[in-house]
Amino acid sequence: MEVIIQESAQAASLLAASFFSRLIRRKADAVLGLATGRTPLLLYAELARLHREEGLDFSRVTAFNLDEYLSLGPGHPASYARFMKEKLFDHINISPGQTFIPNGLAENIPEECARYEKMIRDKGGIDLQVLGLGVNGHIGFNEPSSSLASRTRIKTLSRSTIRANADDFGGEDKVPRHVLTMGVGTVLDSRRCLVLAFGSSKAEAVAGMIEGPVTAGLPASALQLHPSVVVILDRPAAARLKATEYYEWVYSHKPEWQS
Ligand code: GLP
């Protein structure tokens, strides 16, 4: 894993955006894996700016989102479909037919999950998957105890995730208990993963993901098995890491050709 520590979430997000812009300029029909939550908001704002002010062209890009709440359609204000439209898709020139998210309204859930996996495969797989991190170490909605080989499927949210996302719904009791999410195995199939984590509430999960054992108890730790992961943190999120000095040393010696 390449661990990059920045002085602020803003600086980290600008750096993250540069990974996307370089990819899209090199490969116009790139397949992006996108995430929701508060963490990627500054990244999405920067991608919108790059499109508006520097002509970053998303017209041939495809995007797959990690997850969606079960039984919420795109019209629901807390659905991830709505989130993506408002925070990113409405501000770039991606074709609406090229943005995909699991269908929370699907009647046959196993069929919907298999269809989603097949669509990702048919597009040639995900080039760059951005990931936030749950305070309990989840990625997507792969809660602790998720199989590290899991594929897109239904999951039951943990109490801690329900609590963390309650504000989006106006109370814990209104948060759906079930979700559809890409599996850990689906995420590991991406060609490159870019993990973002900001703030002290993520410090413990970050330390487990990077320096702890690979365990289903902290699904993000499975990323240690992936050959190309970049983790971009702000200082508070990096606070529990043991080898910070080494990560900074590596980053300061990064050869130009390696980006
Ligand atoms: C949510 C999402 C994840 C997200 C994580 C962290 O529940 N399903 O994709 O990365 O939790 O959320 P936030 O970025 O708001 O801290």
PDB file of all heavy atoms in Angstrom, residues 35-40 66-67 69 80 131-135 138-141 157 161 164-165 202, ligand 1:
ATOM      1  N   ALA A  35     -17.865   6.178  -4.643  1.00  0.00           N
ATOM      2  CA  ALA A  35     -18.348   5.964  -3.277  1.00  0.00           C
ATOM      3  C   ALA A  35     -19.214   7.146  -2.848  1.00  0.00           C
ATOM      4  O   ALA A  35     -19.146   8.225  -3.441  1.00  0.00           O
ATOM      5  CB  ALA A  35     -17.154   5.830  -2.335  1.00  0.00           C
ATOM      6  N   THR A  36     -19.989   6.933  -1.819  1.00  0.00           N
ATOM      7  CA  THR A  36     -20.805   8.016  -1.264  1.00  0.00           C
ATOM      8  C   THR A  36     -20.275   8.370   0.119  1.00  0.00           C
ATOM      9  O   THR A  36     -19.172   7.970   0.482  1.00  0.00           O
ATOM     10  CB  THR A  36     -22.273   7.564  -1.191  1.00  0.00           C
ATOM     11  OG1 THR A  36     -22.289   6.297  -0.532  1.00  0.00           O
ATOM     12  CG2 THR A  36     -22.873   7.437  -2.575  1.00  0.00           C
ATOM     13  N   GLY A  37     -21.047   9.107   0.889  1.00  0.00           N
ATOM     14  CA  GLY A  37     -20.612   9.515   2.228  1.00  0.00           C
ATOM     15  C   GLY A  37     -19.986  10.902   2.171  1.00  0.00           C
ATOM     16  O   GLY A  37     -19.851  11.499   1.106  1.00  0.00           O
ATOM     17  N   ARG A  38     -19.581  11.392   3.343  1.00  0.00           N
ATOM     18  CA  ARG A  38     -19.006  12.740   3.415  1.00  0.00           C
ATOM     19  C   ARG A  38     -17.591  12.778   2.838  1.00  0.00           C
ATOM     20  O   ARG A  38     -17.156  13.783   2.287  1.00  0.00           O
ATOM     21  CB  ARG A  38     -18.971  13.214   4.878  1.00  0.00           C
ATOM     22  CG  ARG A  38     -20.337  13.602   5.411  1.00  0.00           C
ATOM     23  CD  ARG A  38     -20.390  13.632   6.933  1.00  0.00           C
ATOM     24  NE  ARG A  38     -20.381  12.291   7.506  1.00  0.00           N
ATOM     25  CZ  ARG A  38     -21.475  11.532   7.664  1.00  0.00           C
ATOM     26  NH1 ARG A  38     -22.646  11.985   7.310  1.00  0.00           N
ATOM     27  NH2 ARG A  38     -21.392  10.318   8.170  1.00  0.00           N
ATOM     28  N   THR A  39     -16.870  11.666   2.957  1.00  0.00           N
ATOM     29  CA  THR A  39     -15.445  11.674   2.607  1.00  0.00           C
ATOM     30  C   THR A  39     -15.149  12.125   1.178  1.00  0.00           C
ATOM     31  O   THR A  39     -14.232  12.927   0.982  1.00  0.00           O
ATOM     32  CB  THR A  39     -14.838  10.285   2.880  1.00  0.00           C
ATOM     33  OG1 THR A  39     -15.138   9.938   4.230  1.00  0.00           O
ATOM     34  CG2 THR A  39     -13.348  10.277   2.661  1.00  0.00           C
ATOM     35  N   PRO A  40     -15.860  11.659   0.145  1.00  0.00           N
ATOM     36  CA  PRO A  40     -15.455  12.056  -1.221  1.00  0.00           C
ATOM     37  C   PRO A  40     -16.027  13.393  -1.690  1.00  0.00           C
ATOM     38  O   PRO A  40     -15.834  13.747  -2.859  1.00  0.00           O
ATOM     39  CB  PRO A  40     -15.979  10.899  -2.089  1.00  0.00           C
ATOM     40  CG  PRO A  40     -17.113  10.315  -1.336  1.00  0.00           C
ATOM     41  CD  PRO A  40     -16.912  10.626   0.115  1.00  0.00           C
ATOM     42  N   LEU A  66     -20.627   1.874  -5.401  1.00  0.00           N
ATOM     43  CA  LEU A  66     -20.428   0.721  -4.521  1.00  0.00           C
ATOM     44  C   LEU A  66     -21.715   0.124  -3.983  1.00  0.00           C
ATOM     45  O   LEU A  66     -21.829  -1.095  -3.864  1.00  0.00           O
ATOM     46  CB  LEU A  66     -19.616   1.160  -3.290  1.00  0.00           C
ATOM     47  CG  LEU A  66     -18.127   1.361  -3.433  1.00  0.00           C
ATOM     48  CD1 LEU A  66     -17.601   2.129  -2.230  1.00  0.00           C
ATOM     49  CD2 LEU A  66     -17.437   0.009  -3.535  1.00  0.00           C
ATOM     50  N   ASP A  67     -22.686   1.006  -3.634  1.00  0.00           N
ATOM     51  CA  ASP A  67     -23.773   0.474  -2.820  1.00  0.00           C
ATOM     52  C   ASP A  67     -25.020   1.353  -2.872  1.00  0.00           C
ATOM     53  O   ASP A  67     -24.978   2.488  -3.353  1.00  0.00           O
ATOM     54  CB  ASP A  67     -23.296   0.303  -1.373  1.00  0.00           C
ATOM     55  CG  ASP A  67     -22.525   1.511  -0.852  1.00  0.00           C
ATOM     56  OD1 ASP A  67     -22.590   2.590  -1.476  1.00  0.00           O
ATOM     57  OD2 ASP A  67     -21.841   1.378   0.167  1.00  0.00           O
ATOM     58  N   TYR A  69     -29.048   1.741  -0.559  1.00  0.00           N
ATOM     59  CA  TYR A  69     -29.983   1.239   0.462  1.00  0.00           C
ATOM     60  C   TYR A  69     -31.084   0.431  -0.199  1.00  0.00           C
ATOM     61  O   TYR A  69     -31.600   0.827  -1.262  1.00  0.00           O
ATOM     62  CB  TYR A  69     -30.618   2.408   1.212  1.00  0.00           C
ATOM     63  CG  TYR A  69     -29.649   3.159   2.087  1.00  0.00           C
ATOM     64  CD1 TYR A  69     -29.096   4.363   1.669  1.00  0.00           C
ATOM     65  CD2 TYR A  69     -29.288   2.662   3.341  1.00  0.00           C
ATOM     66  CE1 TYR A  69     -28.206   5.068   2.474  1.00  0.00           C
ATOM     67  CE2 TYR A  69     -28.400   3.362   4.148  1.00  0.00           C
ATOM     68  CZ  TYR A  69     -27.869   4.552   3.713  1.00  0.00           C
ATOM     69  OH  TYR A  69     -26.993   5.239   4.513  1.00  0.00           O
ATOM     70  N   TYR A  80     -28.504   6.832  -2.465  1.00  0.00           N
ATOM     71  CA  TYR A  80     -27.184   7.125  -3.005  1.00  0.00           C
ATOM     72  C   TYR A  80     -27.266   7.531  -4.479  1.00  0.00           C
ATOM     73  O   TYR A  80     -26.396   8.255  -4.976  1.00  0.00           O
ATOM     74  CB  TYR A  80     -26.266   5.925  -2.796  1.00  0.00           C
ATOM     75  CG  TYR A  80     -25.774   5.796  -1.358  1.00  0.00           C
ATOM     76  CD1 TYR A  80     -25.224   4.616  -0.893  1.00  0.00           C
ATOM     77  CD2 TYR A  80     -25.836   6.882  -0.482  1.00  0.00           C
ATOM     78  CE1 TYR A  80     -24.757   4.505   0.414  1.00  0.00           C
ATOM     79  CE2 TYR A  80     -25.374   6.785   0.825  1.00  0.00           C
ATOM     80  CZ  TYR A  80     -24.842   5.594   1.268  1.00  0.00           C
ATOM     81  OH  TYR A  80     -24.366   5.491   2.554  1.00  0.00           O
ATOM     82  N   LEU A 131     -12.654   4.705  -2.372  1.00  0.00           N
ATOM     83  CA  LEU A 131     -13.276   4.100  -1.191  1.00  0.00           C
ATOM     84  C   LEU A 131     -13.178   5.046  -0.001  1.00  0.00           C
ATOM     85  O   LEU A 131     -12.114   5.627   0.250  1.00  0.00           O
ATOM     86  CB  LEU A 131     -12.549   2.804  -0.813  1.00  0.00           C
ATOM     87  CG  LEU A 131     -12.621   1.652  -1.813  1.00  0.00           C
ATOM     88  CD1 LEU A 131     -11.528   0.635  -1.525  1.00  0.00           C
ATOM     89  CD2 LEU A 131     -13.993   0.990  -1.773  1.00  0.00           C
ATOM     90  N   GLY A 132     -14.291   5.197   0.716  1.00  0.00           N
ATOM     91  CA  GLY A 132     -14.238   5.787   2.050  1.00  0.00           C
ATOM     92  C   GLY A 132     -14.112   4.633   3.032  1.00  0.00           C
ATOM     93  O   GLY A 132     -14.058   3.469   2.639  1.00  0.00           O
ATOM     94  N   LEU A 133     -14.111   4.979   4.295  1.00  0.00           N
ATOM     95  CA  LEU A 133     -13.896   3.951   5.318  1.00  0.00           C
ATOM     96  C   LEU A 133     -14.915   4.161   6.435  1.00  0.00           C
ATOM     97  O   LEU A 133     -15.053   5.284   6.944  1.00  0.00           O
ATOM     98  CB  LEU A 133     -12.476   4.159   5.856  1.00  0.00           C
ATOM     99  CG  LEU A 133     -11.791   3.056   6.615  1.00  0.00           C
ATOM    100  CD1 LEU A 133     -11.732   1.779   5.793  1.00  0.00           C
ATOM    101  CD2 LEU A 133     -10.386   3.508   6.994  1.00  0.00           C
ATOM    102  N   GLY A 134     -15.638   3.108   6.788  1.00  0.00           N
ATOM    103  CA  GLY A 134     -16.532   3.218   7.944  1.00  0.00           C
ATOM    104  C   GLY A 134     -15.697   3.274   9.217  1.00  0.00           C
ATOM    105  O   GLY A 134     -14.560   2.787   9.240  1.00  0.00           O
ATOM    106  N   VAL A 135     -16.235   3.829  10.291  1.00  0.00           N
ATOM    107  CA  VAL A 135     -15.477   3.865  11.551  1.00  0.00           C
ATOM    108  C   VAL A 135     -15.180   2.453  12.048  1.00  0.00           C
ATOM    109  O   VAL A 135     -14.210   2.223  12.771  1.00  0.00           O
ATOM    110  CB  VAL A 135     -16.204   4.663  12.670  1.00  0.00           C
ATOM    111  CG1 VAL A 135     -16.121   6.148  12.432  1.00  0.00           C
ATOM    112  CG2 VAL A 135     -17.642   4.234  12.835  1.00  0.00           C
ATOM    113  N   HIS A 138     -15.480  -0.737   7.618  1.00  0.00           N
ATOM    114  CA  HIS A 138     -16.169  -1.261   6.436  1.00  0.00           C
ATOM    115  C   HIS A 138     -15.772  -0.491   5.174  1.00  0.00           C
ATOM    116  O   HIS A 138     -15.376   0.671   5.232  1.00  0.00           O
ATOM    117  CB  HIS A 138     -17.699  -1.308   6.624  1.00  0.00           C
ATOM    118  CG  HIS A 138     -18.423  -0.008   6.580  1.00  0.00           C
ATOM    119  ND1 HIS A 138     -19.348   0.380   7.538  1.00  0.00           N
ATOM    120  CD2 HIS A 138     -18.423   1.001   5.683  1.00  0.00           C
ATOM    121  CE1 HIS A 138     -19.858   1.545   7.229  1.00  0.00           C
ATOM    122  NE2 HIS A 138     -19.320   1.958   6.107  1.00  0.00           N
ATOM    123  N   ILE A 139     -15.858  -1.167   4.047  1.00  0.00           N
ATOM    124  CA  ILE A 139     -15.731  -0.522   2.740  1.00  0.00           C
ATOM    125  C   ILE A 139     -17.007  -0.862   1.961  1.00  0.00           C
ATOM    126  O   ILE A 139     -17.503  -1.980   2.063  1.00  0.00           O
ATOM    127  CB  ILE A 139     -14.457  -0.940   1.961  1.00  0.00           C
ATOM    128  CG1 ILE A 139     -14.267  -2.461   1.980  1.00  0.00           C
ATOM    129  CG2 ILE A 139     -13.240  -0.226   2.486  1.00  0.00           C
ATOM    130  CD1 ILE A 139     -13.093  -2.954   1.125  1.00  0.00           C
ATOM    131  N   GLY A 140     -17.504   0.106   1.176  1.00  0.00           N
ATOM    132  CA  GLY A 140     -18.852  -0.056   0.642  1.00  0.00           C
ATOM    133  C   GLY A 140     -19.755  -0.194   1.852  1.00  0.00           C
ATOM    134  O   GLY A 140     -19.668   0.592   2.802  1.00  0.00           O
ATOM    135  N   PHE A 141     -20.578  -1.231   1.858  1.00  0.00           N
ATOM    136  CA  PHE A 141     -21.335  -1.560   3.068  1.00  0.00           C
ATOM    137  C   PHE A 141     -20.952  -2.958   3.540  1.00  0.00           C
ATOM    138  O   PHE A 141     -21.778  -3.700   4.048  1.00  0.00           O
ATOM    139  CB  PHE A 141     -22.840  -1.462   2.805  1.00  0.00           C
ATOM    140  CG  PHE A 141     -23.441  -0.120   3.095  1.00  0.00           C
ATOM    141  CD1 PHE A 141     -24.315   0.477   2.188  1.00  0.00           C
ATOM    142  CD2 PHE A 141     -23.185   0.549   4.287  1.00  0.00           C
ATOM    143  CE1 PHE A 141     -24.899   1.702   2.457  1.00  0.00           C
ATOM    144  CE2 PHE A 141     -23.770   1.780   4.568  1.00  0.00           C
ATOM    145  CZ  PHE A 141     -24.627   2.358   3.650  1.00  0.00           C
ATOM    146  N   LEU A 157     -27.106  -3.786   7.908  1.00  0.00           N
ATOM    147  CA  LEU A 157     -26.211  -2.784   8.493  1.00  0.00           C
ATOM    148  C   LEU A 157     -25.986  -3.047   9.978  1.00  0.00           C
ATOM    149  O   LEU A 157     -26.872  -3.543  10.680  1.00  0.00           O
ATOM    150  CB  LEU A 157     -26.811  -1.384   8.323  1.00  0.00           C
ATOM    151  CG  LEU A 157     -26.872  -0.861   6.889  1.00  0.00           C
ATOM    152  CD1 LEU A 157     -27.448   0.548   6.878  1.00  0.00           C
ATOM    153  CD2 LEU A 157     -25.500  -0.872   6.232  1.00  0.00           C
ATOM    154  N   THR A 161     -23.070   1.625  11.959  1.00  0.00           N
ATOM    155  CA  THR A 161     -23.253   2.291  10.658  1.00  0.00           C
ATOM    156  C   THR A 161     -24.607   3.004  10.616  1.00  0.00           C
ATOM    157  O   THR A 161     -24.720   4.114  10.074  1.00  0.00           O
ATOM    158  CB  THR A 161     -23.128   1.258   9.519  1.00  0.00           C
ATOM    159  OG1 THR A 161     -21.824   0.671   9.595  1.00  0.00           O
ATOM    160  CG2 THR A 161     -23.312   1.904   8.158  1.00  0.00           C
ATOM    161  N   ALA A 164     -24.057   6.138  12.389  1.00  0.00           N
ATOM    162  CA  ALA A 164     -23.217   7.083  11.627  1.00  0.00           C
ATOM    163  C   ALA A 164     -24.000   7.746  10.499  1.00  0.00           C
ATOM    164  O   ALA A 164     -23.714   8.889  10.135  1.00  0.00           O
ATOM    165  CB  ALA A 164     -22.001   6.352  11.079  1.00  0.00           C
ATOM    166  N   ASN A 165     -24.978   7.052   9.926  1.00  0.00           N
ATOM    167  CA  ASN A 165     -25.696   7.594   8.764  1.00  0.00           C
ATOM    168  C   ASN A 165     -27.074   8.145   9.117  1.00  0.00           C
ATOM    169  O   ASN A 165     -27.839   8.529   8.226  1.00  0.00           O
ATOM    170  CB  ASN A 165     -25.822   6.511   7.678  1.00  0.00           C
ATOM    171  CG  ASN A 165     -24.453   6.161   7.088  1.00  0.00           C
ATOM    172  OD1 ASN A 165     -23.456   6.795   7.410  1.00  0.00           O
ATOM    173  ND2 ASN A 165     -24.403   5.179   6.235  1.00  0.00           N
ATOM    174  N   LYS A 202     -11.694   8.133  12.219  1.00  0.00           N
ATOM    175  CA  LYS A 202     -11.294   7.051  11.318  1.00  0.00           C
ATOM    176  C   LYS A 202      -9.919   6.464  11.675  1.00  0.00           C
ATOM    177  O   LYS A 202      -9.471   5.509  11.046  1.00  0.00           O
ATOM    178  CB  LYS A 202     -11.253   7.558   9.860  1.00  0.00           C
ATOM    179  CG  LYS A 202     -12.556   8.158   9.350  1.00  0.00           C
ATOM    180  CD  LYS A 202     -13.631   7.106   9.190  1.00  0.00           C
ATOM    181  CE  LYS A 202     -14.988   7.683   8.831  1.00  0.00           C
ATOM    182  NZ  LYS A 202     -15.110   8.155   7.466  1.00  0.00           N
TER     183      LYS A 202
HETATM  184  C1  GLP B   1     -21.030   4.720   4.335  1.00  0.00           C
HETATM  185  C2  GLP B   1     -20.844   4.225   2.871  1.00  0.00           C
HETATM  186  C3  GLP B   1     -19.400   4.013   2.579  1.00  0.00           C
HETATM  187  C4  GLP B   1     -18.630   5.187   3.139  1.00  0.00           C
HETATM  188  C5  GLP B   1     -18.626   5.090   4.638  1.00  0.00           C
HETATM  189  C6  GLP B   1     -18.001   6.285   5.344  1.00  0.00           C
HETATM  190  O1  GLP B   1     -21.878   3.980   5.107  1.00  0.00           O
HETATM  191  N1  GLP B   1     -21.570   3.074   2.508  1.00  0.00           N
HETATM  192  O2  GLP B   1     -19.200   3.867   1.181  1.00  0.00           O
HETATM  193  O3  GLP B   1     -17.310   5.154   2.696  1.00  0.00           O
HETATM  194  O4  GLP B   1     -19.889   4.775   5.148  1.00  0.00           O
HETATM  195  O5  GLP B   1     -18.851   7.385   5.344  1.00  0.00           O
HETATM  196  P1  GLP B   1     -18.329   8.858   5.523  1.00  0.00           P
HETATM  197  O6  GLP B   1     -17.486   9.154   4.348  1.00  0.00           O
HETATM  198  O7  GLP B   1     -19.568   9.708   5.566  1.00  0.00           O
HETATM  199  O8  GLP B   1     -17.557   8.885   6.801  1.00  0.00           O
END
